[in-house]
Amino acid sequence: MKNNKSKVVQLVLVLTLFCISPVTVAKKASGCFIAIDACEAFQSFRKETNPDDIHLKLGKSYQILEKNKKQTAVRIRTKAKKSPSRWVKLTCGEVSSSCDKKEVSKKTTNLSVVKNNKKQKKTHTKTPEYLLALSWQPSFCESHSRKKECRTQTTRRYDADHWSLHGLWPQPRNNAYCGVSSTDKGIDRNKRWHLLEPVKLSQDTATKLAFIMPGVSSNLHRHEWIKHGTCYGTNADTYYSDAIRLTQQINESIVGKLFTHGVGKQVSLKQVRQHFDKAFGKGAGKKVDMRCDRKGRVSELWINLKGEISTDTKISSLLENSIRAGSKCKMGLIDKANN
């Protein structure tokens, strides 16, 4: 009888110990984790909490503290002020058994080459698509009179009778904020654009951009870069240089002249599309959406584009294979500047 009781007690103890031990317990590990993606570093991997908005830095190595049992994440040591020990996905980098600087440096170089090749391959598997958004500034300023670019607008300024650059948006529309931190996303979505980092542009590009995008005065270019430009696949200077050239091609065409000489008059969608056909080839007009505000003023042109964009790209080639556009506005007023 005593022997049976003893066996039962032993069995209970074994079962208790087994139940206490968590199935998902992490295993201690050593070595270094080399980042190949700017992934978030979480305090809690399950809850995805990230105090101080910590992200991995490409090419940087981090000391590994442990791995989870499923081998899907590693806990590393970061320089975060709050909870420096962070969890990151294993796919965000590569584990190196040694933290020797020479070995890490060699591995980082190899990883960069592999990653760039993958990116290049991925980029070229599908022809890129874009939406070029142009604004008619006098209409915009009717409802945004307090904006700096509207307070300073005159009838003689370029944007009074030419199209202004709103943005060049990689498609589909949800292709936005590539590699952007949650903090910067929040700043951008709250339209506190002056708090965003300045956009790095050459003096020549900066001058041309301020001329063709009056919204630079209100930091529109910072918003457009962080939301759309970061998904363009180049640096900011190339992104804006390409957008400027495309906008100029519209303004210098008979489409641009239709609006420049038609200030104060009504224009129909049919006219606009016919001018696009004459300027950029048959069928080009069907790729254009003329947009009007609630008071019937032409406010924007949304132009669908498809193809690789370089310094000598003609907008006609980008319009040729792009998708058709719908348009609710059939007739609108070409508004004139009030100042």
Side-chain angles (χ1 to χ4, degrees), residues 84-289:
S85 299
R86 298 298 182 98
W87 287 98
V88 295
K89 293 178 182 178
L90 204 59
T91 54
C92 295
E94 183 169 304
V95 174
S96 174
S97 58
S98 171
C99 290
D100 180 72
K101 288 184 178 180
K102 287 184 179 180
E103 186 176 332
V104 168
S105 179
K106 184 179 179 181
K107 216 157 198 177
T108 301
T109 303
N110 292 336
L111 286 172
S112 297
V113 171
V114 170
K115 188 182 178 188
N116 288 335
N117 288 338
K118 283 182 179 178
K119 272 188 173 181
Q120 194 172 21
K121 187 177 180 181
K122 186 177 180 181
T123 302
H124 288 84
T125 54
K126 186 178 179 182
T127 306
E129 296 181 59
Y130 307 96
L131 193 154
L132 176 65
L134 304 180
S135 292
W136 191 254
Q137 203 67 10
S139 296
F140 173 80
C141 288
E142 291 281 2
S143 54
H144 297 81
S145 58
R146 292 185 179 182
K147 290 276 189 181
K148 187 176 180 180
E149 62 268 30
C150 295
R151 295 199 309 269
T152 57
Q153 189 185 51
T154 67
T155 54
R156 294 184 178 183
R157 205 166 72 180
Y158 185 79
D159 60 278
D161 53 12
H162 289 82
W163 286 101
S164 298
L165 173 63
H166 179 172
L168 180 60
W169 306 335
Q171 298 299 293
R173 291 292 297 275
N174 62 0
N175 185 17
Y177 296 114
C178 296
V180 177
S181 69
S182 55
T183 299
D184 283 343
K185 283 182 191 177
I187 292 171
D188 184 68
R189 286 167 175 162
N190 288 322
K191 296 188 177 183
R192 302 178 71 189
W193 300 338
H194 63 287
L195 297 178
L196 295 171
E197 287 290 325
V199 181
K200 295 179 181 179
L201 300 173
S202 67
Q203 186 59 54
D204 180 57
T205 303
T207 301
K208 289 178 179 177
L209 186 62
F211 181 73
I212 209 160
M213 180 190 266
V216 165
S217 300
S218 301
N219 293 302
L220 174 64
H221 62 310
R222 296 189 186 187
H223 158 68
E224 289 297 321
W225 165 249
I226 203 166
K227 184 174 182 180
H228 303 289
T230 52
C231 300
Y232 192 64
T234 67
N235 58 31
D237 202 82
T238 301
Y239 169 68
Y240 276 120
S241 294
D242 289 347
I244 290 167
R245 281 193 298 273
L246 295 175
T247 306
Q248 288 174 329
Q249 287 185 50
I250 299 295
N251 278 329
E252 292 168 4
S253 71
I254 59 172
V255 174
K257 291 179 175 62
L258 172 67
F259 285 86
T260 298
H261 300 314
V263 173
K265 301 176 183 178
Q266 294 282 333
V267 66
S268 69
L269 174 64
K270 185 177 180 179
Q271 284 177 288
V272 173
R273 288 182 167 175
Q274 286 176 340
H275 278 69
F276 262 90
D277 283 351
K278 290 178 182 178
F280 306 112
K282 188 176 180 180
K286 293 179 180 178
K287 318 301 175 63
V288 182
D289 172 12

Side-chain angles (χ1 to χ4, degrees), residues 22-116:
V23 177
T24 56
V25 69
K27 294 182 179 180
K28 288 187 177 181
S30 60
C32 279
F33 186 75
I34 306 169
I36 58 171
D37 267 317
C39 299
E40 284 194 76
F42 299 113
Q43 179 187 41
S44 169
F45 194 67
R46 182 176 63 82
K47 296 180 180 179
E48 293 192 349
T49 51
N50 184 6
D52 298 329
D53 193 38
I54 302 299
H55 286 70
L56 296 178
K57 292 184 179 179
L58 299 183
K60 184 176 174 60
S61 62
Y62 300 84
Q63 180 189 353
I64 296 175
L65 302 174
E66 56 186 325
K67 296 179 184 178
N68 68 345
K69 190 175 182 180
K70 293 181 179 180
Q71 298 290 305
T72 57
V74 291
R75 191 162 68 91
I76 60 173
R77 189 177 300 283
T78 69
K79 291 185 178 180
K81 292 180 180 178
K82 294 181 181 179
S83 305
S85 299
R86 298 298 182 98
W87 287 98
V88 295
K89 293 178 182 178
L90 204 59
T91 54
C92 295
E94 183 169 304
V95 174
S96 174
S97 58
S98 171
C99 290
D100 180 72
K101 288 184 178 180
K102 287 184 179 180
E103 186 176 332
V104 168
S105 179
K106 184 179 179 181
K107 216 157 198 177
T108 301
T109 303
N110 292 336
L111 286 172
S112 297
V113 171
V114 170
K115 188 182 178 188
N116 288 335

